[in-house]
Amino acid sequence: GAGVSQSPSNKVTEKGKDVELRCDPISGHTALYWYRQRLGQGLEFLIYFQGNSAPDKSGLPSDRFSAERTGESVSTLTIQRTQQEDSAVYLCASSRRQGNIEAFFGQGTRLTVV
Amino acid sequence: QKEVEQNSGPLSVPEGAIASLNCTYSDRGSQSFFWYRQYSGKSPELIMSIYSNGDKEDGRFTAQLNKASQYVSLLIRDSQPSDSATYLCALWAGGSYIPTFGRGTSLIVHP
């Protein structure tokens, strides 16, 4: 596609429910990143995928968070048993290959846990 | 610890002035540097990349890199109110596959 596409744009969920966020990277981009941005805060790294290599999950804040990506295609970020502290914008970015290369962001998913 | 430091601002400049945004970093192995612009409620948008010491110009934007002093800056000439946004500095630290972002500097350009 022309750019990184994320869905949904907005998600309101009740505390305790599971949510799934989707990211479709730019075609040909092998690297994919998920970040979280709380209101008024900086970008918080969550997870990194590179091709078929094992993902770098070092930024996931708890075991309620997980993500998958099949090959170089779509990625999904799942948050189980959501808490109010999970409310944030979840941003996905992709780049052509690993390291030292420009990363482009999707429009983000604004998650609100009520 | 790979750190990227930016003054949070806000930096307020009058329309038509030069806005100067600065970023320092701690990892001398950093190779690639980027500036993103983030409007309120929007996602970051890549506006400049710089890989070697010196200046790189693109329209009204100039990125400056000094690896010896470990800083990178962004100059915006003829600032416009539409330039009002948060500017994020990002880099790939040596040996890392994950870009590190600063917390951003808020720029306000007033008419």
Side-chain angles (χ1 to χ4, degrees):
Chain A
V4 179
S5 179
Q6 293 187 245
S7 61
S9 297
N10 287 282
K11 176 71 176 180
V12 179
T13 190
E14 293 182 351
K15 179 181 173 182
K17 300 286 188 183
D18 298 352
V19 295
E20 192 172 276
L21 312 179
R22 175 187 170 106
C23 173
D24 195 349
I26 293 171
S27 178
H29 280 198
T30 59
L32 186 148
Y33 314 83
W34 283 99
Y35 288 85
R36 178 171 70 180
Q37 188 173 36
R38 291 193 167 111
L39 186 64
Q41 303 297 310
L43 297 179
E44 178 185 1
F45 166 74
L46 298 178
I47 189 168
Y48 159 70
F49 294 92
Q50 169 58 38
N52 292 311
S53 302
D56 181 337
K57 304 179 181 180
S58 61
L60 294 179
S62 77
D63 59 7
R64 297 185 297 104
F65 288 73
S66 63
E68 293 183 348
R69 187 187 188 197
T70 304
E72 299 177 2
S73 62
V74 170
S75 174
T76 56
L77 176 68
T78 301
I79 308 173
Q80 296 178 309
R81 305 181 303 280
T82 52
Q83 305 294 313
Q84 287 185 330
E85 71 223 35
D86 299 333
S87 295
V89 175
Y90 289 82
L91 293 161
C92 175
S94 71
S95 66
R96 279 188 288 115
R97 56 179 170 85
Q98 63 191 24
N100 299 323
I101 290 295
E102 301 166 341
F104 298 90
F105 283 86
Q107 81 278 19
T109 294
R110 182 175 300 278
L111 175 66
T112 304
V113 181
V114 297
Chain B
Q1 182 75 16
K2 299 179 175 64
E3 292 188 352
V4 179
E5 299 288 339
Q6 294 182 258
N7 187 320
S8 62
L11 172 66
S12 182
V13 301
E15 183 175 357
I18 296 175
S20 178
L21 304 162
N22 300 308
C23 170
T24 60
Y25 59 95
S26 59
D27 189 337
R28 286 191 173 275
S30 300
Q31 297 294 321
S32 306
F33 304 84
F34 307 89
W35 283 98
Y36 287 81
R37 177 176 61 199
Q38 186 174 25
Y39 291 115
S40 180
K42 302 295 185 183
S43 63
E45 172 193 10
L46 179 66
I47 56 172
M48 288 287 286
S49 58
I50 186 166
Y51 303 97
S52 55
N53 280 328
D55 295 359
K56 178 182 178 182
E57 187 174 318
D58 183 0
R60 294 187 296 112
F61 298 98
T62 299
Q64 300 175 318
L65 175 60
N66 185 321
K67 290 186 178 180
S69 300
Q70 295 175 245
Y71 81 78
V72 57
S73 61
L74 179 70
L75 301 179
I76 306 175
R77 291 182 300 281
D78 189 24
S79 296
Q80 301 297 309
S82 58
D83 295 327
S84 298
T86 297
Y87 290 80
L88 305 174
C89 173
L91 57 86
W92 257 267
S96 175
Y97 299 136
I98 300 161
T100 302
F101 286 83
R103 293 176 61 85
T105 298
S106 174
L107 172 67
I108 299 172
V109 181
H110 52 87

